[in-house]
Amino acid sequence: MKSGTWRFLVSFIPLLIYLLYILYSDFSSPKPTTSGCSLLPHQHYWIVSKRIVTPHEIISGAVEINGGSIISLVKEKDWLEKVKNEPVIDYGEAVVMPGLIDVHAHLDDPGRAEWEGFPSGTMAAAAGGITTLIDMPLNSFPSTVSEETLQLKIEAAKGSIFVNVGFWGGLVPENAFNASVLENLLNAGVLGLKSFMCPSGINDFPMTDASHIKEGISVLAKYKRPLLVHAEKVQEIELKDGDDDPRSYSTYLKTRPSSWEEAAIRELLTVSKDTRIGGPAEGAHLHIVHLSDSSSSLELIKEAKSNGDSITVETCPHYLAFTAEDIPDGDTRFKCSPPIRDAPNRQKLWEALMDGDIDMLSSDHSPSVPELKLFTEGDFLRAWGGISSLQFVLPVTWSYGLKYGVTLEKLVSWWSEKPAKLASQDLKGAIEIGKHADIVVWEPEKEFDLDENHTVHLKHPSISAYMGSRLTGRVVATFVNGNLVFEDGKHTPDACGTTILA
Amino acid sequence: MTEASLRSTSSFVTRLVLKNRFSYATANRFTGVEYRFVIAYAGDFNYRGELPLEAMSSCAFSASTLRETLQNHEPISRKPSVFRKNCISVDVSHLKLTWHNAMTWKQTGSRLKCRALDVENNRAFLKGELFQLDDVIEAQQFDREILSAIFEVAREMETIEKKSRGNQILKGYLMATLFYEPSTRTRLSFESAMKRLGGEVLTTENAREFSSAAKGETLEDTIRTVEGYSDIIVMRHFESGAARRAASTANIPVINAGDGPGQHPTQALLDVYTIEREIGKLDGIKVGLVGDLANGRTVRSLAYLLAKYNDVKIYFVSPEVVKMKDDIKEYLTSKGIKWEESADLMEVASKCDVVYQTRIQRERFGERVDLYDEARGKYIVNHDVLSVMQKHAVVMHPLPRLDEITVEVDEDPRAAYFRQAKNGLFIRMALLKLLLLGW
């Protein structure tokens, strides 16, 4: 080769080196991922706050997240040294808590998606700090009572959920004595079963009694999963004829007294003793949903617990926030079952919750289309019963709990730790090394009005009983599996929540 | 299982259960409530190999739970307590085996019996609960449940002591040893116990000579002052009943380290603990109490505590002049405990599991020095006595000993008296922890 050509070629070497350098630095520096699943372009980052609620104490420090899991926790003075090149998000005084786990929500998808649906329901959940929802088997159509109907639900959820969603299966007379159907349903991945001891209001979800429940828990014992029970049993009520105004809440309240709850729980306790250690259904667990009666029903439950029955009980924020006396005439947004009861009952519910006799909280988000609520007639007896609240449960619990002495640790216990245990989600419910990075960041001191200026992501905000109230506690950001799904009123463009199957 | 059959077999089971028991804890995964169980097996004891789980499923305990616990469990304690009806199990004999080893035992030939052990659930001794007593004043405060629970804690203390340096559970706590009578051994034992657990000690052995006592300050006032300086008081006093007075005055726990001829509860506890550790059980044993039984507060407390167990037989061996007093004898009879008085140490020693020797005090004999010398001679534990004792039996003594146990006995592994003194340390560590921190 001629020396001139050789020199010409050599002169390109610096250019080559420069190009190689660019390529090299491109590979080594953390490439921001531009995926629609997270508002944050990072997989590995730190969250810093002066108030991080861990299982043992509230620390000021930093949480390190990588690949959707929490990989370390450092306290105040150390965190500056530990952070190397990773991005840091400092939330200052806002509280960093484990994301809420709502074990009782009706997302009505598929089949009645016009009532709510996975997209709007999970967007509202994310805006409310809820990172995991467990969807009830009914109000969707068909009800989730078999493997096939579960598959339909899982299909509908694909690509439409912004937070993680698990599923409860349904225990109904058709499948109660059919162990193979139940086993297929459980094998297909439901986290447990739900049954009603009174009419559910949905045609393909009939009610069960103690004999069905006994069968159900003997199957559940093998899988070590819980049975959730709507504990109200229709009792004969003396209806005083004549001028009971259907627009008055007390009319409705009289049709569903606390004796219904007490009778159902009494019947339930005849089978719950099988769940004791050494009993035939050992390993199964009973969970009474939305307890409203805090007198005799609660006493029965406490006694069963002390006898060693494997039983827990939840209540909902609407029983803790509202009282029968304050419900205006014709305002059917407040109708639900079991019904919201009087002020002394509410007081006892709070006391039981603070004492630990009531184990956890759930939303029982039970929406419908506004027409079914019969707003114009205001007829409590015929309107659809169900409180819509999914986006607000955190500020509602906090606002109404302040005067009872609610603390951040208690909130975490009611909304994250205990629900995680019920749903057998060992890797959720706490900010601890190794657990999933499902986190809510919120400002407990910020007050806001729930009016038309506040964006509500539920499909039908008008049916929510909380509209128009002033609440304390604003959600700043929500992380699901390490993805920043909601911040400052904006959601991610894509719905990347995962379905949770057992 | 009918109740009648349960009772008739219960003594058999209890005996086995005490000797060979593992307890384990399991927690309900939904409620977090802990349950403690004890595993006891009534069957033949020749085993190496596999546990026949299928046979167990016919019992009230579910086979799946048993399988899980056998795999996951670590022996936590040998608490004989309390668990629900219908819960039984499989008794694994060798205590030193861990569960992994235990999985490789097989049962030769015969029967696998399941017994339902009928006792109620008792959460009183679970971790985190407060100790049931505010002070430790006398042996009468203890019943067998609380005794076994305390022994469990003492057992844990044994491991702490070996690892020593570093255990800090009582860090920041102050113990005041207020001794109106000298006692090197007991005082050092308490002080060591406190310091081994990370605590600090304020100590005096001459409280009687204090200027305040000499000026005539009452015990109550002294207690009220000292409780302001410490978290727990350990007191030895020359007057009987002083400990109770101190305990009623004080707002902090008081431990009686001996009040006059009356009580020395920690000695009684460590004696019973030693018997349990050495012999392995407390029901069905034969104990020979030898020496000065009339005045010895240790033998009196020991007899009192032994009466809490079943099928115990006590032999009293002592010179006429210092025989066991009638009150203890009547108490034992009323509790159904068999006792016998004998003058023949050799015969008693051959039958007993424990020979508890005490010092005969010369002062008790007054001028009859000849009787004293004769008595001393008859009741000395020496090589000959050892030779008639059973292989598993032990010799105990509250110390100090003079010549009532000859030095040649020390080498025999059945001489338990120095181990007994060491157990005193563990019992006292356990009591300090329980009174200051709870279970």
Side-chain angles (χ1 to χ4, degrees):
Chain A
M1 206 193 285
K2 286 237 284 270
S3 65
T5 328
W6 179 241
R7 263 185 297 173
F8 176 65
L9 287 170
V10 164
S11 68
F12 277 101
I13 290 180
L15 183 62
L16 271 171
I17 294 176
Y18 183 60
L19 285 171
L20 280 168
Y21 171 73
I22 292 180
L23 280 167
Y24 172 72
S25 61
D26 239 359
F27 279 134
S28 63
S29 70
K31 233 194 184 110
T33 49
T34 52
S35 84
C37 284
S38 176
L39 294 172
L40 209 59
H42 314 291
Q43 279 295 300
H44 186 181
Y45 55 92
W46 292 76
I47 297 180
V48 173
S49 155
K50 296 221 171 46
R51 289 185 282 182
I52 300 180
V53 186
T54 65
H56 303 292
E57 50 178 346
I58 299 183
I59 62 172
S60 160
V63 184
E64 184 183 3
I65 295 172
N66 192 3
S69 294
I70 297 172
I71 57 175
S72 75
L73 277 179
V74 281
K75 285 198 182 165
E76 176 98 81
K77 42 185 178 49
D78 305 331
W79 75 262
L80 271 169
E81 296 122 44
K82 297 282 170 67
V83 173
K84 296 176 197 75
N85 296 323
E86 292 94 23
V88 169
I89 315 161
D90 191 342
Y91 284 108
E93 298 279 342
V95 169
V96 169
M97 250 172 48
L100 279 65
I101 297 177
D102 187 3
V103 293
H104 191 151
H106 296 271
L107 294 173
D108 311 330
D109 207 332
R112 288 196 184 87
E114 62 276 13
W115 289 19
E116 188 62 72
F118 282 128
S120 57
T122 55
M123 274 177 81
I130 300 175
T131 52
T132 305
L133 276 170
I134 320 283
D135 186 33
M136 281 290 171
L138 75 167
N139 297 12
S140 56
F141 182 80
S143 300
T144 315
V145 291
S146 65
E147 188 186 352
E148 298 76 35
T149 44
L150 178 67
Q151 292 303 337
L152 289 175
K153 210 172 229 184
I154 296 174
E155 274 308 304
K158 274 206 179 72
S160 340
I161 51 179
F162 285 80
V163 299
N164 298 325
V165 176
F167 307 101
W168 300 120
L171 179 72
V172 288
E174 277 98 43
N175 62 17
F177 293 108
N178 195 337
S180 58
V181 170
L182 276 185
E183 281 172 10
N184 288 340
L185 179 55
L186 287 162
N187 287 333
V190 292
L191 298 172
L193 297 174
K194 164 84 185 281
S195 80
F196 270 71
M197 293 179 79
C198 64
S200 65
I202 295 285
N203 291 340
D204 67 342
F205 203 98
M207 61 186 233
T208 54
D209 61 28
S211 61
H212 305 109
I213 292 175
K214 201 174 158 82
E215 280 305 307
I217 58 173
S218 59
V219 176
L220 283 169
K222 289 188 240 138
Y223 289 82
K224 294 194 165 41
R225 290 184 213 168
L227 174 66
L228 284 68
V229 182
H230 176 131
E232 270 188 304
K233 201 164 166 71
V234 177
Q235 307 281 293
E236 288 298 319
I237 7 165
E238 263 187 52
L239 279 174
K240 290 189 213 83
D241 299 322
D243 20 48
D244 265 350
D245 179 10
R247 282 181 58 91
S248 162
Y249 183 71
S250 54
T251 313
Y252 169 61
L253 186 55
K254 270 189 272 193
T255 65
R256 255 186 137 114
S258 50
S259 57
W260 283 32
E261 289 188 78
E262 190 190 332
I265 291 174
R266 226 179 261 283
E267 186 174 326
L268 193 60
L269 294 187
T270 57
V271 293
S272 70
K273 51 182 161 52
D274 291 350
T275 60
R276 292 184 200 162
I277 307 252
E282 182 191 340
H285 178 76
L286 282 164
H287 179 76
I288 294 175
V289 294
H290 50 47
L291 182 76
S292 174
D293 169 35
S294 57
S295 332
S296 40
S297 309
L298 192 55
E299 293 307 311
L300 285 171
I301 297 171
K302 277 160 67 170
E303 198 190 316
K305 280 182 181 180
S306 67
N307 286 339
D309 296 359
S310 184
I311 192 167
T312 48
V313 59
E314 74 181 31
T315 187
C316 304
H318 40 270
Y319 300 111
L320 299 169
F322 305 124
T323 61
E325 298 88 337
D326 294 329
I327 297 176
D329 284 349
D331 198 343
T332 52
R333 296 178 303 167
F334 291 87
K335 176 181 176 182
C336 56
S337 51
I340 294 166
R341 303 191 190 276
D342 58 18
N345 187 71
R346 174 178 66 172
Q347 174 72 25
K348 287 178 53 194
L349 276 180
W350 271 112
E351 282 162 16
L353 188 61
M354 296 297 288
D355 284 340
D357 293 322
I358 295 181
D359 302 275
M360 66 187 88
L361 294 178
S362 73
S363 71
D364 190 12
H365 176 68
S366 192
S368 71
V369 285
E371 296 76 59
L372 287 177
K373 284 301 239 186
L374 302 180
F375 286 136
T376 35
E377 296 97 309
D379 185 341
F380 274 106
L381 298 176
R382 287 170 37 232
W384 173 260
I387 305 279
S388 162
S389 61
L390 199 53
Q391 190 173 331
F392 322 115
V393 288
L394 178 57
V396 166
T397 315
W398 184 250
S399 317
Y400 287 91
L402 281 172
K403 63 169 165 322
Y404 295 93
V406 72
T407 61
L408 293 170
E409 294 93 326
K410 282 211 178 328
L411 270 187
V412 169
S413 166
W414 301 331
W415 278 111
S416 306
E417 270 175 41
K418 299 263 171 75
K421 282 213 182 82
L422 183 69
S424 310
Q425 296 301 305
D426 304 317
L427 291 177
K428 292 189 190 293
I431 296 186
E432 263 188 326
I433 299 180
K435 297 237 183 332
H436 294 161
D438 291 341
I439 289 172
V440 58
V441 183
W442 65 300
E443 289 161 329
E445 292 81 15
K446 275 260 164 45
E447 288 190 18
F448 63 96
D449 287 308
L450 205 51
D451 54 18
E452 59 281 355
N453 294 329
H454 189 99
T455 323
V456 177
H457 300 277
L458 297 166
K459 192 158 254 173
H460 304 290
S462 59
I463 65 168
S464 174
Y466 294 103
M467 296 309 291
S469 47
R470 189 168 177 78
L471 298 173
T472 319
R474 190 178 76 91
V475 172
V476 171
T478 308
F479 292 82
V480 176
N481 300 330
N483 294 326
L484 179 56
V485 166
F486 172 81
E487 189 173 41
D488 286 336
K490 277 183 24 253
H491 287 83
T492 52
D494 297 333
C496 306
T498 52
T499 46
I500 301 174
L501 296 174
Chain B
M1 171 151 249
T2 65
E3 232 189 279
S5 61
L6 188 64
R7 252 190 230 118
S8 64
T9 53
S10 67
S11 60
F12 168 62
V13 176
T14 318
R15 214 175 337 209
L16 290 173
V17 162
L18 272 178
K19 190 179 178 69
N20 301 307
R21 195 176 333 138
F22 278 108
S23 85
Y24 70 95
T26 183
N28 181 308
R29 69 198 305 213
F30 297 106
T31 63
V33 174
E34 260 194 29
Y35 295 92
R36 287 188 157 237
F37 294 93
V38 155
I39 301 244
Y41 167 50
D44 286 347
F45 285 109
N46 239 329
Y47 34 82
R48 227 184 308 264
E50 305 249 300
L51 171 62
L53 288 174
E54 291 67 60
M56 292 310 293
S57 64
S58 65
C59 308
F61 213 91
S62 68
S64 64
T65 310
L66 200 53
R67 200 172 290 124
E68 251 180 61
T69 54
L70 284 176
Q71 274 162 5
N72 303 329
H73 162 63
E74 276 165 37
I76 295 175
S77 63
R78 288 189 317 165
K79 214 182 272 205
S81 50
V82 285
F83 47 93
R84 301 202 167 274
K85 211 173 186 155
N86 292 333
C87 292
I88 34 83
S89 317
V90 178
D91 187 352
V92 187
S93 78
H94 199 315
L95 287 172
K96 301 293 183 211
L97 282 180
T98 61
W99 281 106
H100 293 296
N101 290 353
M103 286 295 281
T104 64
W105 57 267
K106 83 167 179 273
Q107 170 225 24
T108 57
S110 58
R111 336 147 304 202
L112 177 67
K113 278 199 194 115
C114 299
R115 306 275 185 210
L117 294 172
D118 186 9
V119 273
E120 305 124 9
N121 197 12
N122 183 355
R123 304 203 61 193
F125 305 138
L126 290 183
K127 255 188 165 39
E129 302 290 326
L130 286 177
F131 189 46
Q132 279 74 357
L133 305 172
D134 288 330
D135 313 276
V136 173
I137 303 298
E138 52 187 14
Q140 280 77 341
Q141 290 174 285
F142 301 97
D143 61 22
R144 65 180 288 167
E145 268 87 36
I146 206 174
L147 277 176
S148 0
I150 294 175
F151 294 160
E152 289 312 337
V153 182
R155 203 60 190 281
E156 282 161 27
M157 292 297 162
E158 287 187 33
T159 49
I160 289 180
E161 198 267 340
K162 282 187 180 49
K163 284 187 268 185
S164 78
R165 340 164 222 281
N167 195 284
Q168 300 287 307
I169 55 174
L170 293 183
K171 190 176 174 74
Y173 286 93
L174 274 173
M175 172 179 88
T177 51
L178 199 56
F179 275 47
Y180 283 77
E181 253 186 0
S183 157
T184 317
R185 226 192 338 279
T186 310
R187 186 171 61 83
L188 287 183
S189 178
F190 270 109
E191 294 183 6
S192 169
M194 191 64 179
K195 290 195 168 189
R196 284 262 187 237
L197 293 173
E200 282 295 337
V201 174
L202 302 172
T203 175
T204 176
E205 202 167 58
N206 308 317
R208 200 183 213 162
E209 278 130 38
F210 276 169
S211 55
S212 53
K215 285 175 193 159
E217 185 183 44
T218 59
L219 174 64
E220 284 77 359
D221 282 353
T222 310
I223 293 290
R224 279 195 211 103
T225 315
V226 174
E227 74 172 347
Y229 305 146
S230 55
D231 302 303
I232 184 169
I233 294 178
V234 175
M235 195 177 84
R236 168 168 281 197
H237 202 279
F238 40 90
E239 273 170 23
S240 191
R244 178 151 294 292
R245 281 165 52 207
S248 4
T249 320
N251 292 325
I252 60 175
V254 171
I255 300 185
N256 182 3
D259 56 349
Q263 289 278 351
H264 194 355
T266 55
Q267 178 73 44
L269 288 178
L270 76 90
D271 287 341
V272 181
Y273 180 63
T274 305
I275 297 179
E276 204 225 24
R277 290 286 272 127
E278 300 282 331
I279 308 295
K281 60 180 179 181
L282 285 158
D283 291 317
I285 55 173
K286 296 191 175 62
V287 178
L289 301 177
V290 188
D292 186 342
L293 303 183
N295 307 298
R297 58 189 174 192
T298 53
V299 288
R300 290 168 57 82
S301 304
L302 181 59
Y304 184 85
L305 282 182
L306 286 174
K308 310 245 181 225
Y309 295 92
N310 304 324
D311 283 329
V312 171
K313 179 143 188 216
I314 303 187
Y315 293 89
F316 298 124
V317 183
S318 70
E320 264 298 305
V321 99
V322 284
K323 278 191 336 177
M324 177 60 87
K325 297 214 171 90
D326 289 327
D327 59 340
I328 290 281
K329 288 178 183 164
E330 274 157 24
Y331 177 75
L332 290 176
T333 318
S334 72
K335 291 287 176 187
I337 303 288
K338 297 199 278 287
W339 56 266
E340 205 182 290
E341 250 175 332
S342 167
D344 190 342
L345 176 57
M346 297 295 268
E347 198 214 328
V348 166
S350 65
K351 293 198 223 153
C352 284
D353 302 301
V354 176
V355 174
Y356 192 97
Q357 174 70 298
T358 59
R359 185 169 62 92
I360 298 178
Q361 295 167 326
R362 175 192 226 108
E363 308 83 78
R364 308 293 172 195
F365 288 81
E367 297 119 20
R368 300 298 310 270
V369 183
D370 55 329
L371 284 178
Y372 170 63
D373 286 327
E374 184 201 328
R376 281 186 58 221
K378 275 172 78 173
Y379 302 115
I380 288 185
V381 170
N382 54 18
H383 197 70
D384 298 328
V385 176
L386 264 188
S387 60
V388 303
M389 275 171 59
Q390 296 168 63
K391 276 204 70 170
H392 71 276
V394 293
V395 179
M396 288 169 61
H397 192 301
L399 301 178
R401 59 106 186 246
L402 297 181
D403 49 4
E404 59 271 6
I405 303 183
T406 55
V407 177
E408 62 197 4
V409 174
D410 295 355
E411 266 114 47
D412 191 307
R414 289 171 289 179
Y417 27 96
F418 294 116
R419 296 195 286 273
Q420 188 183 350
K422 194 75 189 280
N423 288 336
L425 173 68
F426 304 133
I427 285 283
R428 288 168 181 133
M429 282 166 84
L431 287 176
L432 287 172
K433 183 220 170 199
L434 290 170
L435 285 167
L436 287 170
L437 298 179
W439 289 101

